[in-house]
DNA sequence: TAATATTTGTACCGATTGGTAAATAAATAA
DNA sequence: TTATTTATTTACCAATCGGTACAAATATTA
């Protein structure tokens, strides 16, 4: 079920009036539905038949709107990164490295065990589903992971400059460490770990965090 | 290519002489080949076509020998657990909890990055590949993980009794912690992490291990 | 109204999925 | 040899995969 919605607001930059038959669904709602399916079953584990049912849209409409399955996944992934998983990029704004990683892991626990969304991380879930086709998707996901990890490493280098991490700290190593914890918690969550159990894991992982004091 | 091999040794308990046409392949070698494919691509990511090519055996022979794809996976999984992954159960024989977990993580690093085998852990790899069919396989893998984790928890309880873990230590929590590290390292390994990087992760993870001294 | 543009539903495409029927080949038992 | 048993080969099965041709439906423009 996708609600029909007309853009009834005549804004300043007038939206060009569409010529033909109007879309019977909302693109963003459809993408969110697709995201949920991919998030649950991975890329190759999701069939077009599942998608048509979840989106409430027939296949040809999906193809005219999004291109193909791979493009649909990319669009859904974009929604994921800027939506529910936006906290991953946002935590770097915390004032100290310690606060960054603590905020990251604790938010990840809540995120992974949120009752309203599939358990675990879409990117970890989809990255491991690899039938040697879809290698393009796989490499893209790997690149994204590397990007996130590099972002944390940069943040930790900044922390060393700020003086809230010891000079001898290895930023890349620390980044890979918390990425590994994150991915491990994702696997645990997608196979049934509870919020309390993951909080215990995060707490233990934080104990080994280097300090200047 | 699978070598033909007759059981030429007339042992005490005489092996019943087979009646019909002899098998043209060695079952254990075939299982090892199947294990390698499943290990690389997961359960659903592996097709029977890939298996026939990797084993060098036609499909009907695979089906008469092993039943079906699911049974073949189970058999391969058995070989995995008692073969290359046997160290997981064996490390519990170490004399202290600290030695158990240290030995476990360091061996896991070498195991995950062994050049002669696929990267990462078959069980993590296959557990996340889930197209809602094969839920039987998925639950079996989850049960196995739980079993391993429970085994570590038991070992840590023993360590508390032995006095090499503090009395206030939470055995289940510690077990889930190292299981999470293990799974995270597996994801990292299957997406390209090097031995040195994983050693860094393991080293950091060990820093938070509780001590009595 | 008629003409045009776009989306929809139905029905289908070739390729691949896991799995098998049936004939043939290779062994032992009589 | 002949009968029996088992394994192999070839060729095929229905179901599903991602993707699409085509015509009916619904909108704007003229």
């Amino acid at each position: 079920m996708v609600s029909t919605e007309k853009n009834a607001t005549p804004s300043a930059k007038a939206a060009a009036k569409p010529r033909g038959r109007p879309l019977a669904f909302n693109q963003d709602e459809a993408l969110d539905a697709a995201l949920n399916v991919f998030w649950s079953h991975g890329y190759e584990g999701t069939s077009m038949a599942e998608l048509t049912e979840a989106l409430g849209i027939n296949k040809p409409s999906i193809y005219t709107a999004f291109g193909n399955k791979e493009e649909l996944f990319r669009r859904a992934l974009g929604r994921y990164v800027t939506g529910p998983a936006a906290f991953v990029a946002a935590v770097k704004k915390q004032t100290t490295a310690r606060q960054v990683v603590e905020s990251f892991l604790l938010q990840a626990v809540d995120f992974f065990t949120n009752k309203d969304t599939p358990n675990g991380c879409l990117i970890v879930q989809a990255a491991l589903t690899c039938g040697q086709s879809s290698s393009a998707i796989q490499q893209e996901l790997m690149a994204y992971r590397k990007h996130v990890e590099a972002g944390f490493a940069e943040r930790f280098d900044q922390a060393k400059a700020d003086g809230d991490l010891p000079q001898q700290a290895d930023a890349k190593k620390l980044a890979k460490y918390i990425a590994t914890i994150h991915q491990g918690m994702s696997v645990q969550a997608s196979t049934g770990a509870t919020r309390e159990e993951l909080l215990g894991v995060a707490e233990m992982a934080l104990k080994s965090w280097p300090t200047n004091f």
Side-chain angles (χ1 to χ4, degrees), chain A:
Chain A
M1 258 339 144
V2 174
S3 72
T4 305
E5 190 177 9
K6 305 189 175 188
N7 46 354
T9 58
S11 67
K13 288 190 177 182
K17 328 97 193 182
R19 274 276 266 155
R21 179 172 174 170
L23 270 171
F25 62 93
N26 178 283
Q27 284 221 9
D28 285 340
E29 290 178 14
L31 281 175
D32 283 338
L35 169 56
N36 258 281
V37 184
F38 283 126
W39 198 345
S40 296
H41 304 121
Y43 175 68
E44 292 198 334
T46 297
S47 68
M48 289 305 301
E50 280 180 276
L51 287 169
T52 59
E53 192 184 350
L55 310 204
I57 310 173
N58 290 321
K59 252 191 293 186
S61 294
I62 297 181
Y63 277 84
T64 57
F66 302 107
N68 56 19
K69 185 186 174 186
E70 196 171 316
E71 283 300 318
L72 176 57
F73 179 82
R74 263 186 260 271
R75 295 282 298 274
L77 178 62
R79 278 231 126 201
Y80 177 76
V81 169
T82 61
F87 76 95
V88 175
V91 289
K92 283 182 284 189
K93 294 175 191 163
Q94 297 285 330
T95 52
T96 69
R98 168 80 195 191
Q99 286 172 321
V100 167
V101 57
E102 190 167 323
S103 169
F104 176 57
L105 292 185
L106 297 183
Q107 285 191 75
V109 168
D110 284 336
F111 177 64
F112 288 157
T113 59
N114 187 331
K115 298 184 307 277
D116 300 329
T117 57
N119 294 339
C121 171
L122 166 67
I123 287 152
V124 174
Q125 184 81 8
L128 296 196
T129 307
C130 58
Q132 91 191 11
S133 66
S134 76
S135 62
I137 292 282
Q138 215 181 330
Q139 290 185 341
E140 193 163 331
L141 292 170
M142 195 184 312
Y144 178 75
R145 288 199 320 95
K146 298 266 183 197
H147 166 72
V148 169
E149 207 174 295
F152 276 106
E154 270 184 46
R155 181 63 186 82
F156 297 152
D157 273 325
Q158 177 63 40
K160 286 169 69 176
D162 293 345
D164 67 273
L165 266 183
Q167 285 305 311
Q168 71 272 17
D170 184 334
K172 286 183 183 175
K173 184 173 165 181
L174 292 176
K176 189 158 286 288
Y177 173 66
I178 70 155
T180 304
I181 302 285
H182 179 261
Q183 288 155 21
M185 291 199 307
S186 170
V187 174
Q188 286 279 347
S190 63
T191 54
T194 67
R195 194 184 106 97
E196 287 67 33
E197 289 172 329
L198 292 187
L199 280 177
V201 171
E203 176 198 317
M204 280 216 60
L206 287 167
K207 280 185 184 165
S208 62
W209 193 256
T211 171
N212 250 345
F213 310 107

